[in-house]
């Protein structure tokens, strides 16, 4: 039974009669059972079988050597970047490809930038990328990123090493670099919104020994410690990496703590023809569930209170843990062809509690609240990938080919939904805490929330070099999906659909010389309709079409730059219409985003490096009975950023490095109804570092000051009573010893 369910992942490989039988059986099982429908054993068997089969036709492997050419799609190489300058990316093509050869905009936040800025969250990393703003983060508990006007928490756009995740927080101390692919990406990554994907590239085991220990303290109170070790195990090509990180930092507002512990061991084997990596990351966390502030309807701005004083209670927090397990393998069949396989299981489990704001009396300052919570929330996902990549020649045309199958089973589940009673008496102008206890009342109608999707797909991509100047890229994906969502005891289905979908991508690149490339592309995306709270039944999936034109410059001096204009049209958005006194859900809504983006990074002089961006984004609703013409929420019309680092001349006491940056986010609509705006803001950051050898070890001290001028600003919002505030000034001192 379990193997049969697991085998559903790989339906595209099976004969038609067997596919049909298994698909129907799996669909029936999915709608009857809440248990995960995968067998880890079966999938792992499938993954390791293929390389083993391929191995029988390959040359016998001998003693492993560190000199062997390693698989670029998996192994992080120094050649990917030089300081601030990115050279290649794996996200857009799922192969190691020079940025100038890809007919889509790609932005990379390199390892050196993450280090200089002491980045600790995905939001901080993406400050450096054009066209990205923060979405509703569910009180700061979820990664929520808007790309080119589209995106929300849990939208499936965040990847780790090319694998989709359901984790609440995806950037940890294991992250090496961040890659952002702009625009619709369904061809290679399946169901998602059309804004793009964000890939966390993690640190990999290396065949040479390296180690680092670090410790930090924060001006908020508290600090953290970290360990990163890697090296060989024997002389047979086996390598390990062990990463551990823990932090306990006081929240920047008047109460709360951010706690996180990560342990991430991994092993890699570098054979002559085969590479295998097994990695595991376990995270335990506790963080404030902070709904921020509320809007004064008289002014359309946040209420005039001390931003450091919260409007909730000490029990407002999320406590959880997560796991991310991955097996990746690559086998070189011959000098032209490689076989890649991967399997991943990731899950996130949490409980949360909040004093939820309900309404505000702006005259008296009385905020009505309700004690709510979620117990036993569990999101989990199985992903299987098999692909073949290689090169071939047809006449004068060379082909870089990628083809394969993907399979995914995702289940988002929230067991007990706690709902208390509305309670007044809390004054935002003179807050007194501890007057409203947490509730234990479980609401059966809201509990057992579930959103399940199973999908299998076949994809193919051909990058054809027609001449020295011209590259034509053709790609397509055929996907089968089965989705169901709903809630309640007894369970009530909110949405249910299944079907197939084909999405194409076409791109053309012109390279007049070795530094420039001009490109144009057309791409599509889709996402099945999903509704837990409202009954919408079976509706066609959301779909989007995008046109993009751009230019890329890779200068010999060390600067990489991309300029792009785009137009994305999204349709089949669900809207509610009242006809004859009854409400009906219809897939007739639409939205459009168009804009200009600029990204650059690299070395200006021998001592000076910078990364910068600018975006103009015009995103609005194009077809909706209530919101037609409204701006999309949390999308800034204009945004920009710049960060520069300078290496000071060496001194007798060590080497010094300093840097500073500024980011600007323009005015944004605060909600879908455009009832209020979140004002624009500018925030500055700075750092100073020092390092020198000490007793055969390299010692480094680095001081970062974030929000240098202590700016008070709104980072995002979900409604007039869910308005998130950006963190105030923080100084972080970190000490590191390399060995």
């Amino acid at each position: 039974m379990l193997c049969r369910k697991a085998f559903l992942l790989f339906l595209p490989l099976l004969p038609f009669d067997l596919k049909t039988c298994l698909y129907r059986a799996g669909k029936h099982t999915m709608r009857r059972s809440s248990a995960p429908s995968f067998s880890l054993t079966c999938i792992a068997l499938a993954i390791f079988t293929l390389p083993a089969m391929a191995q029988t036709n390959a040359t016998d492997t001998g003693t492993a050597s560190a000199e062997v050419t390693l698989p670029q799609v998996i192994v992080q190489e120094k050649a990917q970047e030089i300081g601030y300058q990115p050279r290649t990316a794996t996200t857009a093509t799922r192969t190691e490809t020079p940025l100038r050869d890809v007919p889509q905009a790609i932005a990379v936040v390199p390892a050196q930038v993450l280090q200089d800025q002491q980045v600790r969250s995905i939001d901080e990393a993406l400050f450096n990328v054009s066209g990205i703003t923060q979405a509703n983060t569910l009180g700061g508990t979820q990664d929520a990123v808007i790309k080119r006007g589209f995106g929300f928490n849990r939208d499936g756009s965040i990847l780790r090493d090319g694998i989709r995740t359901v984790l609440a927080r995806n950037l940890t101390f294991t992250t090496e670099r961040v890659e952002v692919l702009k625009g619709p990406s369904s061809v290679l990554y399946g169901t998602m919104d059309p804004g793009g994907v964000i890939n966390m590239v993690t640190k990999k085991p290396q065949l040479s020994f390296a180690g680092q220990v670090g410790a930090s303290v924060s001006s908020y109170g508290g600090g953290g410690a970290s360990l990163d070790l890697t090296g060989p195990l024997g002389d047979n090509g086996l390598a390990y990496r062990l990463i551990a990180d823990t932090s306990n930092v006081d929240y920047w507002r008047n109460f709360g703590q951010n706690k996180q512990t990560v342990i991430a061991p991994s092993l890699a084997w570098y054979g002559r023809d085969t590479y295998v990596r097994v990695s595991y990351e376990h995270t335990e966390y506790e963080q404030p569930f902070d709904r921020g502030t509320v809007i004064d309807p008289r002014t359309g701005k946040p209420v005039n209170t001390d931003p450091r004083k919260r409007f909730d209670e000490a029990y407002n927090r999320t406590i959880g843990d997560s796991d991310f397990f991955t097996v990746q393998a690559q086998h070189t069949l011959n000098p032209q062809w490689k076989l890649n396989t991967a399997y991943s299981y990731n899950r996130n489990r949490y409980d949360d509690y909040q004093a939820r704001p309900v309404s505000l009396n702006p005259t008296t300052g009385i905020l009505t609240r309700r004690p709510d919570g979620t117990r036993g929330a569990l999101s989990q996902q199985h992903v299987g990938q098999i692909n073949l990549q290689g090169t071939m020649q047809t006449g004068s045309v060379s082909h870089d080919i990628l083809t394969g199958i993907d399979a995914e089973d995702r289940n988002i589940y929230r067991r007990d939904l706690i709902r208390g009673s509305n309670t007044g008496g809390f004054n935002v102008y003179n807050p007194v805490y501890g007057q409203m206890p947490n509730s234990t009342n479980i609401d059966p109608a809201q509990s057992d929330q579930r959103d399940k999707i199973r999908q299998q797909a076949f994809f193919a991509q051909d990058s054809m070099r027609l001449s020295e100047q011209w590259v034509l890229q053709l790609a397509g994906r055929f996907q089968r999906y089965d989705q169901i969502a709903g809630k309640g005891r007894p369970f009530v289905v909110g949405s249910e659909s299944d079907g197939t979908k084909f999405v194409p991508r076409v791109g053309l690149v012109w390279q007049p010389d070795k530094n420039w490339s001009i490109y144009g592309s057309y791409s599509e995306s889709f996402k099945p309709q999903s509704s837990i709270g409202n009954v919408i039944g079976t509706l066609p999936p959301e779909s989007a079409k995008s046109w993009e034109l751009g230019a890329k410059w890779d200068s010999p001096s060390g600067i990489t730059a991309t300029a792009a204009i785009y137009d994305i049209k999204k349709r089949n958005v669900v809207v509610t219409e009242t006809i004859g006194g009854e409400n009906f859900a219809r897939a007739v809504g639409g939205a459009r985003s168009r804009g200009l983006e600029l990204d650059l990074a690299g070395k200006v002089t021998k001592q000076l490096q910078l990364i910068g961006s600018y975006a103009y984004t015009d995103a609005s609703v194009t077809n909706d009975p209530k919101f037609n013409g409204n701006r999309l929420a949390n999308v800034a019309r204009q945004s920009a950023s710049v960060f520069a680092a300078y290496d000071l001349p060496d001194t007798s006491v060590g080497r010094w490095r300093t840097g500073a940056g500024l980011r600007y986010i323009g005015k944004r609509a605060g909600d879908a109804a455009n009832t209020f705006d979140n004002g624009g803001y500018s925030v500055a950051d700075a750092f100073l570092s020092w390092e020198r050898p000490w007793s055969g070890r390299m010692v480094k001290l680095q001081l970062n000051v974030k929000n240098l001028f202590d700016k008070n600003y709104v980072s995002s919002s979900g409604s007039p009573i869910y308005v998130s505030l950006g963190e105030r000034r923080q100084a972080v001192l970190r000490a590191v010893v390399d060995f």
Side-chain angles (χ1 to χ4, degrees):
M1 173 82 71
L2 291 176
C3 284
R4 183 190 69 182
K5 294 177 183 178
F7 212 52
L8 289 173
L9 282 171
F10 298 95
L11 279 171
L13 296 180
L14 303 179
F16 174 79
D17 291 340
L18 184 57
K19 279 195 297 185
T20 303
C21 176
L22 292 179
Y23 176 71
R24 290 174 178 172
K27 180 175 171 182
H28 177 69
T29 302
M30 177 180 176
R31 292 174 180 165
R32 291 181 56 193
S33 175
S34 62
S37 59
F38 273 71
S39 166
L40 302 184
T41 303
C42 293
I43 300 301
L45 208 57
I47 288 170
F48 284 110
T49 298
L50 283 174
M53 293 171 59
Q55 181 74 25
T56 60
N57 298 320
T59 306
D60 209 26
T61 59
T63 304
S65 171
E67 305 294 325
V68 71
T69 301
L70 302 180
Q72 299 292 312
V73 71
I74 296 175
V75 180
Q76 174 80 18
E77 295 293 338
K78 297 296 184 184
Q80 287 187 317
E81 57 198 47
I82 302 175
Y84 278 25
Q85 183 188 25
R87 309 303 299 270
T88 63
T90 62
T91 308
T93 60
R94 289 173 68 162
T95 60
E96 196 72 24
T97 305
L99 297 180
R100 62 192 296 268
D101 291 349
V102 181
Q104 276 184 276
I106 302 174
V108 177
V109 185
Q112 187 64 56
V113 175
L114 300 180
Q115 178 180 312
D116 285 347
Q117 298 179 358
Q118 289 297 300
V119 169
R120 299 290 292 186
S121 71
I122 194 171
D123 288 316
E124 290 185 2
L126 298 177
F127 289 157
N128 304 285
V129 179
S130 66
I132 290 182
T133 54
Q134 188 184 91
N136 178 13
T137 62
L138 289 178
T141 65
Q142 300 275 341
D143 287 337
V145 181
I146 297 174
K147 300 83 55 187
R148 290 186 171 179
F150 300 103
F152 56 95
N153 52 68
R154 295 172 292 198
D155 66 357
S157 65
I158 299 177
L159 318 172
R160 280 196 175 190
D161 295 321
I163 295 172
R164 199 195 312 259
T165 86
V166 294
L167 306 187
R169 298 289 186 96
N170 290 276
L171 191 148
T172 68
F173 191 65
T174 64
T175 302
E176 181 77 21
R177 72 201 302 246
V178 180
E179 302 174 347
V180 182
L181 171 65
K182 311 289 190 65
S185 307
S186 285
V187 165
L188 294 182
Y189 295 104
T191 59
M192 62 180 56
D193 261 353
V197 295
I198 302 163
N199 187 35
M200 309 288 125
V201 181
T202 62
K203 302 170 182 177
K204 309 299 193 300
Q206 303 296 324
L207 287 171
S208 57
F209 177 79
Q212 182 188 91
V213 293
S216 64
V217 292
S218 169
S219 60
Y220 291 165
S226 63
L227 171 71
D228 185 359
L229 295 174
T230 187
L233 291 173
D235 57 359
N236 59 354
L238 189 64
Y240 75 93
R241 192 154 195 163
L242 176 62
I243 296 173
D245 178 67
T246 185
S247 63
N248 187 344
V249 178
D250 291 341
Y251 193 43
W252 70 275
R253 304 185 80 185
N254 57 332
F255 56 87
Q257 289 180 307
N258 278 301
K259 301 178 183 179
Q260 181 171 276
T261 298
V262 177
I263 183 164
S266 59
L267 291 172
W269 177 58
Y270 300 93
R272 188 177 71 181
D273 299 311
T274 304
Y275 168 81
V276 179
R277 181 174 72 95
V278 181
S279 64
Y280 172 70
E281 180 175 328
H282 177 74
T283 303
E284 296 182 0
Y285 60 90
E286 176 185 326
Q287 57 200 48
F289 195 133
D290 182 11
R291 290 292 190 177
T293 187
V294 295
I295 296 296
D296 187 334
R298 300 170 300 181
T299 64
K301 298 179 180 180
V303 291
N304 186 20
T305 63
D306 183 351
R308 289 182 171 86
K309 290 187 176 180
R310 297 176 62 174
F311 296 165
D312 42 46
E313 298 292 335
Y315 56 74
N316 269 63
R317 58 180 181 168
T318 295
I319 303 172
D321 60 86
S322 64
D323 294 293
F324 196 96
F325 171 77
T326 305
V327 181
Q328 293 176 298
Q330 183 177 84
H331 180 72
T332 301
L333 302 173
N334 55 50
Q336 287 77 40
W337 292 93
K338 296 176 181 177
L339 180 68
N340 302 290
T341 62
Y343 166 75
S344 176
Y345 170 75
N346 58 95
R347 66 141 191 98
N348 181 57
R349 178 175 57 198
Y350 68 90
D351 299 328
D352 66 44
Y353 305 93
Q354 62 171 311
R356 183 194 297 270
V358 176
S359 62
L360 172 72
N361 185 324
T363 304
T364 64
I366 296 300
L367 180 68
T368 299
R369 305 177 301 169
R370 186 179 73 208
D372 288 355
T374 302
R375 276 197 318 232
L378 175 62
S379 298
Q380 51 187 340
Q381 181 165 260
H382 300 263
V383 177
Q385 298 177 346
I386 302 174
N387 69 74
L388 183 69
Q389 65 179 89
T391 60
M392 60 180 295
Q393 197 82 17
T394 57
S396 61
V397 178
S398 63
H399 302 260
D400 289 327
I401 294 175
L402 175 72
T403 184
I405 61 172
D406 289 343
E408 180 181 315
D409 191 320
R410 187 196 69 204
N411 182 14
I412 297 175
Y413 175 64
R414 291 183 285 273
R415 189 187 68 210
D416 297 331
L417 272 293
I418 298 170
R419 295 291 183 263
S421 301
N422 291 354
T423 304
F426 183 87
N427 195 318
V428 299
Y429 301 113
N430 185 27
V432 177
Y433 305 102
Q435 304 300 306
M436 187 178 71
N438 193 10
S439 175
T440 58
N441 181 49
I442 299 174
D443 186 346
Q446 297 294 326
S447 296
D448 284 345
Q449 297 186 359
R450 190 180 303 277
D451 188 349
K452 300 182 66 173
I453 186 169
R454 179 186 291 124
Q455 48 191 345
Q456 308 90 24
F458 168 80
F459 64 90
Q461 176 178 276
D462 186 2
S463 294
M464 296 170 279
R465 184 162 288 278
L466 307 178
S467 68
E468 287 189 9
Q469 288 80 34
W470 292 93
V471 177
L472 174 64
Q473 186 180 94
L474 302 176
R477 182 184 190 91
F478 180 81
Q479 181 147 327
R480 187 199 307 265
Y481 63 91
D482 190 356
Q483 178 275 334
I484 186 171
K487 65 179 179 180
R489 300 171 181 168
F491 186 75
V492 177
V493 175
S495 61
E496 184 176 20
S497 61
D498 61 78
T500 59
K501 182 72 174 181
F502 176 78
V503 288
R505 183 170 73 189
V506 180
L508 184 65
V509 181
W510 177 49
Q511 299 172 335
D513 57 43
K514 63 180 182 180
N515 299 323
W516 280 95
S517 65
I518 313 296
Y519 71 89
S521 66
Y522 169 81
S523 54
E524 296 183 7
S525 69
F526 82 104
K527 182 170 69 70
Q529 306 285 1
S530 179
S531 176
I532 292 176
N534 300 315
V535 177
I536 64 173
T538 300
L539 294 174
E542 291 183 352
S543 62
K545 299 179 179 181
S546 173
W547 293 92
E548 182 175 333
L549 297 173
K552 300 182 181 183
W553 180 49
D554 195 359
S555 76
S557 62
I559 292 286
T560 295
T562 300
I565 58 174
Y566 65 89
D567 187 345
I568 303 174
K569 294 180 179 178
K570 184 178 178 181
R571 60 188 181 91
N572 292 345
V573 178
V574 174
V575 301
T576 301
E577 295 181 322
T578 302
I579 303 175
E582 295 187 40
N583 293 327
F584 295 90
R586 301 176 61 195
V588 297
R592 182 179 187 181
S593 177
R594 48 191 172 181
L596 164 69
E597 294 175 345
L598 303 172
D599 288 276
L600 63 90
K603 182 187 298 183
V604 180
T605 68
K606 185 177 180 180
Q607 292 81 27
L608 180 63
Q609 299 186 82
L610 67 81
I611 184 169
S613 69
Y614 169 79
Y616 173 84
T617 309
D618 180 12
S620 61
V621 178
T622 56
N623 191 9
D624 188 280
K626 294 192 300 183
F627 302 139
N628 197 48
N630 283 10
R631 294 166 292 153
L632 296 184
N634 291 305
V635 180
R637 181 69 58 95
Q638 298 198 64
S639 59
S641 70
V642 63
F643 191 91
Y646 186 79
D647 290 309
L648 299 169
D650 291 351
T651 68
S652 59
V653 296
R655 291 182 292 186
W656 294 85
R657 181 176 172 87
T658 187
L662 182 71
R663 66 181 186 274
Y664 167 76
I665 301 294
K667 184 173 69 173
R668 298 139 290 154
D671 60 0
N674 290 187
T675 56
F676 68 102
D677 286 332
N678 296 323
Y681 64 90
S682 298
V683 174
D685 305 309
F687 83 95
L688 176 67
S689 68
W690 165 86
E691 65 179 14
R692 65 164 296 171
W694 190 281
S695 298
R697 307 282 188 261
M698 184 62 72
V699 178
K700 181 177 181 179
L701 292 175
Q702 181 169 321
L703 175 66
N704 285 74
V705 183
K706 302 181 181 185
N707 196 353
L708 182 64
F709 301 110
D710 203 24
K711 180 74 173 181
N712 182 34
Y713 64 97
V714 172
S715 56
S716 64
S717 58
S719 76
I721 55 175
Y722 303 150
V723 181
S724 299
L725 296 173
E727 294 185 354
R728 302 297 290 269
R729 180 168 54 224
Q730 181 189 26
V732 179
L733 179 63
R734 179 170 173 80
V736 172
V737 179
D738 292 323
F739 53 90

